[in-house]
Amino acid sequence: MRSASGARPPKDRADPANAPVLAAMELLGQRWVLRVLWELEPGRLGFLELRRRMDNCSSSMLSVRLQHLQSAGLIVKNTDKSYELTTAGTELGVALRDVWDWSRRWAATLTDPADRTV
């Protein structure tokens, strides 16, 4: 796989050059993280509204994920207690658009409509 610049990524996972990618994958692979980012993409939300949109995510788990995302610099908690994406969070959303577009195309190829909600 080549990056947008055409350079090949290091093949050895132990290579220090992989550390940022692995750290990002670890963060984004945590349950609810991508969903929080998805819900905040259109704009700021208060905790209760965000919780309402998060289906089965408990308040305590949402609090933990919000703290992780704040520590990672992807979201910020405003003085009015709402949350919104930082510049880095917005840039991540731009980077993920290709993945979201791919997922729509992939879901359309599934033969069982129940599989499309995965």
Side-chain angles (χ1 to χ4, degrees):
M1 179 188 302
R2 291 184 186 264
S3 69
S5 67
R8 285 195 174 272
K11 291 183 181 182
D12 183 0
R13 291 183 187 267
D15 187 317
N18 282 327
V21 171
L22 296 174
M25 288 171 52
E26 177 70 26
L27 175 66
L28 297 176
Q30 294 176 18
R31 188 164 188 194
W32 301 111
V33 165
L34 288 171
R35 180 66 183 270
V36 169
L37 296 171
W38 174 269
E39 296 296 345
L40 291 177
E41 194 274 330
R44 66 173 51 189
L45 291 172
F47 183 88
L48 293 176
E49 178 60 21
L50 184 56
R51 168 67 184 89
R52 187 185 68 74
R53 294 180 184 201
M54 298 288 294
D55 300 323
N56 296 322
C57 181
S58 69
S59 294
S60 59
M61 177 56 69
L62 179 57
S63 293
V64 168
R65 292 301 178 241
L66 290 170
Q67 289 171 357
H68 287 160
L69 289 167
Q70 287 176 82
S71 295
L74 298 177
I75 67 170
V76 65
K77 184 175 183 180
N78 298 304
T79 56
D80 66 357
K81 301 201 189 285
S82 66
Y83 295 88
E84 68 181 317
L85 298 176
T86 62
T87 300
T90 301
E91 290 171 350
L92 175 59
V94 170
L96 289 172
R97 283 204 181 102
D98 286 340
V99 174
W100 291 331
D101 291 342
W102 173 86
S103 68
R104 286 188 198 102
R105 291 189 307 272
W106 169 73
T109 67
L110 299 176
T111 56
D112 183 353
D115 290 341
R116 294 185 182 150
T117 61
V118 174

